[in-house]
């Protein structure tokens, strides 16, 4: 289950880069379910809490397209 932040800090450029890198890693290990789930746990959390800031990132759009993240 993803924990939604009550008060979320601003997504800094470094945090954005980390989120994008994690999403890219999820795509790279997509065929290895165990590895994918480890990465996706963080990616889902980031998406749930920062969807507005991440919705235009191509890698997140791809994860939504694959059904890994809700639209």
């Amino acid at each position: 289950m993803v924990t939604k932040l009550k008060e979320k800090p601003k997504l800094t450029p470094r945090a954005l880069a980390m989120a994008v890198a994690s999403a890219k890693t999820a795509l790279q290990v997509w065929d290895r379910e165990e590895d994918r789930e480890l990465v996706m746990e963080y990616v889902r959390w980031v998406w749930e809490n920062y969807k507005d800031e991440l919705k235009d990132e191509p890698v997140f759009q791809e994860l939504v397209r694959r059904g890994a993240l809700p639209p």
Side-chain angles (χ1 to χ4, degrees):
M1 182 175 170
V2 175
T3 303
K4 184 113 176 166
L5 295 175
K6 291 178 183 169
E7 292 183 36
K8 62 180 186 178
K10 184 178 179 202
L11 190 64
T12 65
R14 184 175 179 181
L16 174 62
M18 185 174 161
V20 169
S22 295
K24 286 180 181 179
T25 299
L27 289 175
Q28 290 171 347
V29 299
W30 193 256
D31 294 329
R32 299 191 313 247
E33 187 174 343
E34 185 177 315
D35 294 338
R36 178 181 69 222
E37 281 308 307
L38 284 171
V39 177
M40 283 304 297
E41 188 174 331
Y42 170 73
V43 172
R44 283 186 201 100
W45 180 87
V46 172
W47 181 252
E48 181 67 31
N49 287 288
Y50 294 98
K51 184 189 296 187
D52 290 340
E53 293 90 333
L54 299 170
K55 64 185 176 194
D56 293 330
E57 292 292 332
V59 68
F60 282 92
Q61 292 173 356
E62 176 63 18
L63 288 169
V64 168
R65 187 188 70 73
R66 290 186 185 203
L69 295 173

